[in-house]
Amino acid sequence: MPTLDWIGKKAVVNHHREVPYRLVHCDGELSTGDPDAGNLLVQGDNLEALKALLPYYAGKVKCIYIDPPYNTGNEGWVYNDNVNSPEIKAWLGNVVGKEAEDLSRHDKWLCMMYPRLRLLREFLREDGVIFVSIDDDENHRLRILLDEIFRSKNFVASFVWQKKQSPQNDAISVSDMHDYILAYAKNAAISREDRIGFKANRLERTDTQDSRFKNPDDDERGVWFSSDYTCAKSVNERPNLYYPVLNPNTGEEIWPSKTRVWGYSQEEHARHLSKRLIYWGADGSGRPRLKKFLNDETKGVVPATWLTRDECGDNQEARREVRSLFAGTGQDFDTPKPTRLLKRLFAMACGPDDLLLDSFAGSGTTGHAVLDLNKQDGGNRKFILVEMDEQIAPDITAERLKRVIHGYDKGGDPEKPVEGLGGGFRYCRLGVPLFNEFGDIDGGVSFPDLAGHVFFAECGVPIPAKANGNSPYLGQYRDKAVYLLFSPAEAGFAREASGNVLTPDTLAVLPTPPDDFEGGWIVYGEGCTVGKERLAEAGVTFKQIPYQIDGA
């Protein structure tokens, strides 16, 4: 498979593994609405935030949407990943410039995107999908990058979104009217019957689409429309579809064109005749067309890659939306996406109870769209948003979510109240790394913090339920039952009295897994006084913290 190379690639290929796991702390004052709604807004660098959230949400996200910097040279984004590479160290803290001013602009962008995409893939469910907004500046490079990380076989579609109503008269040469949204699955479905891989949901029919259905022959089955009975294949490509059909009204034998044969086999044609699904024209003497009844089309419409401004909104609508929300506050956001666009993507990707993630949250359109969909259909979708800018996160992202949750005055006009969508979210910040520079557990780490990390490091999946410290048993996964003996106050010191040492007495009273469990016990602790033979006899593997914890 063709791959893309760039300055710094070798340094960032495994950088996502080197990023430390950090604690996540919630801020009650900036949180809004129902704190148990399951929604999060995390302020902090998105690479570190993703690593911090991974132990809790790996393999649980159905849909990811990100709108990263397009790298046009005008966004003013800064490369700040602490990668151990001389050429990359020279980039730190510097605004990425225009093409003629910054010859490494594309290298920096690729170095920024690669580890984030690697981590994002780990969040997806087996039937999950990621959507990435981009324009012509990096579209071709992003496509190769996504092919490498998600595999080309999992490419779903390249959506084209009509972002403008009319051309820009000040364009240097040609006015760009669209952006792209690249979609890749964790595992793309290989057929409509595939129950494991991702396949897009059908979309609800619109009144305009339903208006196509008529009933000129007063068919008792209701309104219908007719479709072409041929397909775009030649007789050489589909010789079995080149055969005569008989018009029952005239007795005429009708052949398809040799360059466009019938779209159905002879057996299927016979079924159509028996079900009275063939329309022969107003006077009954025409060529066959297939009747499709509205009652049979209730599954909805297959999504298309062309996303029009009429159906999904455009840049102008997105700006109006944000300005209406923040009217009178002096707040604004330059590059929002319209809520209707994201609602369309989420409608084709998610069910009513799914989890969505956006690690370039910006103005918070993703959260807004999720809340709006829940209000619309009574769903219980949840979102995780990450925004790194310490001013945008509280003043724009969180404030927008707060307003749409509780309601606001449209355009700042009290005479135009907009009803709240309900719900809520927790506002979080990144804390210290779980492990300090010496590899020891940081003093600010609690039992639940370490328990979540230990279980994920051992099993590769999130802990089944948040640990409260009342029991050393964390849960089981496949052939492993995981235990943690840890006392935050005695971190780094093995003391039997603190309960952080595996002793014969402690081993004897460890909670047992469910009766049907037949695997081994994995016990993490500061020390162990049980002999190897006794551990082997009990089916127990002891691992010392912090040295034998992956990621320490």
Side-chain angles (χ1 to χ4, degrees):
M1 183 183 73
T3 58
L4 184 65
D5 199 9
W6 64 89
I7 296 172
K9 180 177 182 179
K10 291 181 180 178
V12 299
V13 164
N14 292 308
H15 180 55
H16 63 289
R17 297 194 178 112
E18 300 164 355
V19 177
Y21 291 93
R22 290 183 176 274
L23 301 181
V24 178
H25 300 296
C26 292
D27 184 332
E29 292 186 4
L30 289 174
S31 301
T32 292
D34 180 5
D36 297 320
N39 301 314
L40 293 180
L41 168 56
V42 182
Q43 177 196 324
D45 181 273
N46 52 16
L47 186 60
E48 294 187 335
L50 290 174
K51 194 66 176 280
L53 295 168
L54 193 61
Y56 308 99
Y57 296 101
K60 290 189 173 185
V61 175
K62 179 62 190 294
C63 175
I64 296 171
Y65 171 79
I66 58 173
D67 185 15
Y70 282 9
N71 205 23
T72 63
N74 297 318
E75 298 112 326
W77 69 278
V78 176
Y79 186 89
N80 270 328
D81 290 353
N82 188 23
V83 180
N84 187 23
S85 166
E87 61 258 290
I88 292 180
K89 289 286 188 183
W91 298 344
L92 295 178
N94 297 321
V95 174
V96 178
K98 299 178 184 294
E99 185 78 45
E101 302 168 358
D102 190 346
L103 298 180
S104 61
R105 175 162 69 95
H106 302 292
D107 301 289
K108 294 173 183 175
W109 189 85
L110 290 164
C111 284
M112 182 271 292
M113 291 295 294
Y114 191 92
R116 287 160 175 79
L117 289 170
R118 286 291 299 267
L119 282 179
L120 285 169
R121 186 181 183 278
E122 296 186 35
F123 281 87
L124 286 176
R125 288 171 17 180
E126 292 303 307
D127 62 346
V129 64
I130 182 172
F131 296 102
V132 186
S133 282
I134 202 67
D135 73 356
D136 284 311
D137 282 275
E138 297 290 357
N139 179 50
H140 50 303
R141 279 177 281 267
L142 177 62
R143 180 74 181 268
I144 299 175
L145 198 63
L146 290 167
D147 277 348
E148 181 175 335
I149 294 172
F150 287 85
R151 303 305 179 198
S152 57
K153 67 178 182 178
N154 292 315
F155 170 73
V156 175
S158 176
F159 293 92
V160 178
W161 169 52
Q162 183 188 7
K163 64 180 180 180
K164 296 176 184 175
Q165 180 179 11
S166 56
Q168 289 179 269
N169 292 326
D170 60 351
I172 295 174
S173 180
V174 177
S175 177
D176 69 314
M177 300 288 292
H178 66 276
D179 279 350
Y180 301 96
I181 301 174
L182 300 181
Y184 279 75
K186 179 80 169 285
N187 296 287
I190 58 175
S191 69
R192 289 304 302 180
E193 289 71 36
D194 188 339
R195 296 183 179 275
I196 298 176
F198 168 79
K199 51 181 178 288
N201 301 323
R202 300 292 179 97
L203 300 173
E204 287 188 11
R205 306 188 63 84
T206 65
D207 292 340
T208 300
Q209 290 165 334
D210 285 348
S211 68
R212 299 171 57 198
F213 292 82
K214 310 291 182 183
N215 195 0
D217 60 353
D218 294 324
D219 194 308
E220 72 276 8
R221 291 170 290 186
V223 295
W224 52 271
F225 80 93
S226 65
S227 64
D228 191 358
Y229 211 65
T230 63
C231 70
K233 298 294 180 181
S234 69
V235 64
N236 294 327
E237 295 174 291
R238 297 288 188 273
N240 61 310
L241 299 181
Y242 185 71
Y243 60 88
V245 300
L246 194 68
N247 185 321
N249 303 310
T250 65
E252 178 187 2
E253 189 177 78
I254 303 173
W255 287 82
S257 164
K258 289 186 176 182
T259 58
R260 191 175 178 89
V261 295
W262 299 129
Y264 308 94
S265 67
Q266 295 189 52
E267 294 76 17
E268 189 70 3
H269 175 65
R271 189 185 73 84
H272 292 162
L273 286 173
S274 68
K275 297 289 186 180
R276 296 186 296 122
L277 295 177
I278 306 294
Y279 179 59
W280 300 99
D283 61 0
S285 63
R287 295 176 67 82
R289 293 181 64 83
L290 184 65
K291 277 186 173 184
K292 294 188 175 181
F293 291 88
L294 180 59
N295 290 337
D296 297 331
E297 299 295 312
T298 53
K299 293 181 180 179
V301 181
V302 175
T305 56
W306 175 229
L307 304 174
T308 68
R309 57 180 298 276
D310 290 336
E311 294 180 327
C312 301
D314 57 12
N315 280 341
Q316 190 176 30
E317 177 178 309
R319 292 298 300 276
R320 284 199 303 264
E321 195 170 32
V322 169
R323 286 170 178 168
S324 177
L325 274 161
F326 290 103
T329 67
Q331 300 287 3
D332 198 3
F333 191 81
D334 292 335
T335 56
K337 290 294 186 288
T339 304
R340 286 200 294 156
L341 174 64
L342 299 199
K343 285 175 64 178
R344 168 61 65 91
L345 297 177
F346 300 160
M348 70 174 74
C350 301
D353 299 306
D354 286 336
L355 176 63
L356 299 94
L357 168 63
D358 181 350
S359 57
F360 292 84
S363 69
T365 308
T366 292
H368 188 167
V370 169
L371 294 168
D372 205 350
L373 283 172
N374 285 343
K375 180 73 171 182
Q376 183 177 309
D377 63 10
N380 190 33
R381 301 168 188 83
K382 299 176 178 63
F383 61 77
I384 301 170
L385 307 182
V386 181
E387 172 51 44
M388 68 182 299
D389 192 289
E390 60 185 17
Q391 290 185 318
I392 291 176
D395 296 343
I396 301 292
T397 321
E399 184 62 26
R400 177 180 186 173
L401 295 175
K402 178 180 179 180
R403 287 171 181 249
V404 298
I405 286 170
H406 295 303
Y408 62 97
D409 295 333
K410 186 174 183 179
D413 186 350
E415 300 297 321
K416 298 178 180 178
V418 176
E419 182 183 359
L421 300 174
F425 67 92
R426 293 183 186 271
Y427 188 100
C428 306
R429 291 187 176 89
L430 296 180
V432 299
L434 266 70
F435 307 99
N436 62 27
E437 58 184 315
F438 305 108
D440 297 324
I441 298 170
D442 189 88
V445 175
S446 67
F447 186 93
D449 294 329
L450 188 60
H453 178 75
V454 162
F455 193 90
F456 177 75
E458 182 63 46
C459 301
V461 297
I463 192 169
K466 185 175 181 179
N468 55 21
N470 294 331
S471 170
Y473 177 64
L474 306 184
Q476 69 172 86
Y477 181 71
R478 294 182 177 173
D479 60 348
K480 295 179 179 180
V482 184
Y483 297 79
L484 175 63
L485 305 175
F486 174 65
S487 173
E490 302 289 346
F493 299 95
R495 292 198 171 97
E496 295 183 16
S498 299
N500 60 15
V501 176
L502 182 61
T503 66
D505 290 342
T506 303
L507 178 60
V509 296
L510 285 179
T512 57
D515 293 338
D516 57 352
F517 178 74
E518 298 179 354
W521 295 18
I522 314 296
V523 180
Y524 286 82
E526 299 274 7
C528 177
T529 62
V530 182
K532 292 182 179 180
E533 292 184 2
R534 175 71 183 92
L535 289 174
E537 180 184 334
V540 172
T541 299
F542 176 77
K543 294 190 177 183
Q544 187 176 13
I545 55 176
Y547 312 110
Q548 290 181 282
I549 302 176
D550 288 343

